[in-house]
Amino acid sequence: MIDWLVRTFTRIWRAVSGVIFSPRPPAGGTPRQPPAGWTTAPVPPRDTTQMPGADPYHDWAVSTGFAYYGSGSWLPLLLELRPSAGTIQSFGQFLAASPRYANLVIVPDIFTQPSTRLLGKNLTFLVVLADRSFVPAIDTDTSLHKWIARYEIGQAVTVDSHVSSITGFLNQPANYVGTPKAVIGVIDDGIAFAHERFLDAGGQPRIEYLWDQVLPFFSGMEYSKVAIQGFLTGSLFGGQVVDEDDLYRKSGHINQTRGGHKPLAARASHGAHVMDLACHRKLRPQTGEQPIVAVQLPVSSVRDTSGATLRPQIYFALRYIVAKADAIAAAAVCPPPPVVVNVSYGTIAGPHDGLSLFERALDELIQSATATVEVVLPAGNNHLSRCHAELALAPGSVQTLNWRVLPDDWTESYLDIWMPGGGAAGPPVQIAVTAPDGARSGWIQAGAQLQLKIAGNTVVAQVSFYPPLYVGPQAVVRISMAPTASPRAGVPLAMPGLWRISVRNTGHLPVSPIHTWIERDDAAPGYKRAGAQSYLDDPAYGRYDDGGRPIVNDNDPRTINSHVKRRHTLNAIASGGSPIVIGGFRHGGKPEHEAWSGSSRGPALPPGRANGVPGWGPDAMYRSEDSPSHHGVLGAGTRSGSCVAMNGTSVAAPLAVRRIVDSIVSPSPSNPTPLVDRAKVFNDAGWNDPGGGNQPPAELGGGGRVLDPPPRERGIEWP
Amino acid sequence: LDQVELVGNWADLREDRAEEIVTQMSPPVAYWSTVLNLRPDRRKWTLELLHAALRLANYAQMRFKHALACRRPLEYSPQVQPMILTPGHGALPSGHATEAHIVALVLWNLVRSKEPTKPLEWLEQLMRQAARVAINRTVAGVHFPVDSAAGQLLGLTLGAYFLARATAPAGVKANYSAFKFDGTAFDNTGDFDWRKHYNVYATGTSAAETQTKALNAGGVAFADQMSNSPQSAGRAPLLAELWSMAQGEWP
């Protein structure tokens, strides 16, 4: 009761003080690049009954001339087709027959010729490679509106001889040896395919296929098991030990005449570690029993941790893995085996209702497959990143979000405000933004757009307020910001500092909840930092208690009054109903088995994660930290015999993959039923939770914490 | 200059290699010890012998460095930003590459003179480590890959000469193969890959022939055998004495 009074009073005080004391700093100042000021315009018109829903990045991409999408001329697009329009096959025929698009769009045959477990299913999601000129056509050509419901743009790629390799995706392994009981898929960066941990009992590679989207970019190279075996013997000199430096030089993965990050040149890579945790068995599996199909993501997309450009590649990779699993089954003459895919990636900003393009694509794939396809995602590491706020606006009230954009940020920053739709006209909410130098915009409502331009008429910040149905059922404000620093001259820069975003309720009813998420902008593991993670700077947010321990609960009195929240921080690609989502806990320390402080918390917003599983968040927690002094868990480095520690929910997810695959391949007394859907993983975690009085709530820890495999015993071998 | 580009690309590994780079600034005895144990109380004459080889390498490489006076990477671009202080002498040939390879060759021959059946994987490991020491200087931003290639050839040639002086029987001259480095034949954009210039598993009837075959194995344009090779060198009595004392330290 007192709690409620305090909260209500705080809300009223905030609302009132927002009106009375809302900061009005003097306009002008001495910014590095004098802004030409804010301009207001309507958002580009979009008849959502006819035109496709927008990629949330689309308008910004157009405003900035696709400056942030790389230099290649082809863009991978993740498309959602309207089910009424026809099948993917007929869409492919439509494009091929079109004199305008036949040479501008490539539909990989993986989508037009679905493999066994997807046969006869009317799938609506696909990835195409499109010339840049195709993107504006999606908006303007009515003949395309009939087909395309939504689309999302990936990182531009260079296309050379890729067409043949794309149509070669349906190759089957010749003379498959063994019986596949489960296929493990790994989509990651730095796949150390020569590592001895990925060999089977016969000393053969377990990697049946590796699709390397790096060399050459996107279209990539496909390495079969035979090719990998060839590399292994090609770099075996005299003795028993493969020279992996030499091998990766020969395969082109360590080619220092090319620029850019080479994950396999370093001692540790995300992909080697994750794949080890997902695939390693104490006893090497029999040949062909647990084949791996791995996809190395393109480096430039991994670098962009916003994930904005990664999603088309990941969906393509998933479909590739499923197609290869079916090809393996065909070659082995057996029914399609279960496929368990680990995707240890996550982002922060999104609708969190499971309805985003990528999440719907995942759900469709998992639900349509007639043989098991499970996708395991990490819950996310942004529990304490201050990238989420939740507001409730009383009629007439104003609240201000303080967005701290950091200096020396070489990449764009994005902030989304999602709110209930409120009918076709949008909710009765207005937005105004004040730049760090005091340049204050006017108020805009749904359907309008603000742009901050600098000298030369270049847009460095854009605030687009989309009415409902524009992007999804919620109304959304998308604020896009140029980098604040760049090593190159001539790059338009936004100003670092405190950007104040005022949100005003102009209606007669409360508007709630209004969720804000800042998009991820940190460095991928092993990569040089380019971005800098911006955050919401709320004085009422408490970060640490008096003992210096992080505050992990929104109900803690030191942080309860803040609108910046730890709830609803779940990985923004993990709100769909079908993927298995895994959080992380710390094994040792006191208290034991405590939820790792960074592990993101649900719940997703309705209808996200709705699948009859309680919690609406992660399904289970697996080990992501060994103890307070041993950060992370041990796993393979890039070279055989090396061992490194990595942490976060990225390493908890593959441990879940391992348990799921174990449960399929060799059911044991402690693990009797195959864990082939969310509910089973949830219940399994509940049965196996070590207890101890600090069990995390379901929105944080799902069914419970699973200690399988336990941390390594003393000695060289790790689990 | 294309080689500067390579230095920039290798710089991606600076975080990974920082400890190695700093601890390898002086002769990296501890690193050789990871392959063949060089504990000072058990292997003091071996260490003395290796230091004699290092002194030879040092004097020889400095003559080349001063004569050629090749610029260091930071003189081509302010963005190289080396991790460590760039020495005052020229870049080519790399002293680290020269020294690491002469030590690898001399140490291997010393150990194998006592244990003729010792597997060649030990030499392979020594050579891999020598190459890594050389490459670490590129990662640090003080050497180009081409410096390492030249240093490798110089180190292996000096090593062969050193072995001839140490092991030739009294009054007899021993042959050794001499190589020249032709910088104009080195691909501008070429990286240093030690296997291109050296084959651990080459075999010949004599040390000189083995060396010749090992170096010719790659068939690279810039590493020509000199026209007057093999050369011969006579026994240096003091060095031979040191050699036999060092030999006594190995099983």
Side-chain angles (χ1 to χ4, degrees), chain B residues 7-156:
Chain B
V7 174
N9 293 340
W10 276 107
D12 192 38
L13 291 177
R14 283 184 184 183
E15 202 180 331
D16 245 30
R17 304 278 179 95
E19 289 95 337
E20 283 179 46
I21 284 164
V22 172
T23 53
Q24 288 169 355
M25 283 174 73
S26 51
V29 178
Y31 289 84
W32 301 325
S33 298
T34 62
V35 185
L36 289 164
N37 190 357
L38 295 177
R39 238 187 106 82
D41 51 358
R42 285 183 60 188
R43 304 270 152 78
K44 61 180 175 181
W45 299 117
T46 303
L47 285 167
E48 188 67 42
L49 181 77
L50 293 180
H51 279 100
L54 286 173
R55 279 193 295 279
L56 168 67
N58 196 276
Y59 282 115
Q61 87 215 11
M62 283 303 163
R63 295 289 293 269
F64 285 109
K65 279 170 177 279
H66 288 318
L68 296 171
C70 295
R71 291 183 187 189
R72 294 278 183 165
L74 87 174
E75 292 169 276
Y76 290 98
S77 166
Q79 292 187 339
V80 171
Q81 300 186 1
M83 296 170 76
I84 51 176
L85 193 63
T86 295
H89 44 261
L92 189 141
S94 157
H96 271 77
T98 312
E99 292 166 13
H101 286 93
I102 194 173
V103 165
L105 192 70
V106 169
L107 186 56
W108 165 249
N109 277 279
L110 176 70
V111 173
R112 216 178 193 219
S113 67
K114 290 293 289 294
E115 192 184 344
T117 57
K118 198 164 182 77
L120 286 160
E121 282 76 41
W122 294 82
L123 172 60
E124 160 129 7
Q125 194 63 23
L126 285 166
M127 286 294 170
R128 280 198 207 180
Q129 199 180 60
R132 182 151 173 134
V133 168
I135 286 170
N136 280 346
R137 297 297 108 186
T138 302
V139 177
V142 298
H143 270 300
F144 299 108
V146 64
D147 304 340
S148 296
Q152 183 192 17
L153 284 179
L154 179 61
L156 293 172

Side-chain angles (χ1 to χ4, degrees), chain B residues 151-236:
Chain B
Q152 183 192 17
L153 284 179
L154 179 61
L156 293 172
T157 297
L158 289 172
Y161 169 76
F162 185 90
L163 288 171
R165 297 297 305 265
T167 59
V172 183
K173 284 200 169 184
N175 283 346
Y176 68 95
S177 63
F179 276 75
K180 71 176 177 196
F181 176 78
D182 180 2
T184 60
F186 192 88
D187 178 10
N188 280 342
T189 62
D191 201 358
F192 168 61
D193 179 356
W194 71 273
R195 285 195 194 276
K196 282 186 180 161
H197 322 141
Y198 195 81
N199 177 7
V200 170
Y201 302 97
T203 48
T205 51
S206 67
E209 196 190 332
T210 303
Q211 169 87 336
T212 306
K213 282 190 171 173
L215 275 167
N216 269 339
V220 286
F222 53 87
D224 285 337
Q225 193 164 182
M226 283 167 67
S227 51
N228 54 356
S229 181
Q231 301 244 20
S232 57
R235 179 186 176 89

Side-chain angles (χ1 to χ4, degrees), chain A residues 516-528:
Chain A
T516 299
W517 285 281
I518 296 171
E519 190 49 288
R520 192 175 160 198
D521 195 12
D522 56 0
Y527 285 71
K528 280 184 205 155

Side-chain angles (χ1 to χ4, degrees), chain A residues 255-274:
Chain A
N255 177 358
Q256 298 290 9
T257 63
R258 286 190 306 117
H261 181 61
K262 290 129 200 128
L264 291 178
R267 61 187 275 269
S269 78
H270 194 266
H273 194 271
V274 162

Side-chain angles (χ1 to χ4, degrees), chain A residues 120-131:
Chain A
K121 300 289 175 183
N122 278 328
L123 301 181
T124 53
F125 293 90
L126 77 158
V127 177
V128 299
L129 278 180
D131 186 87

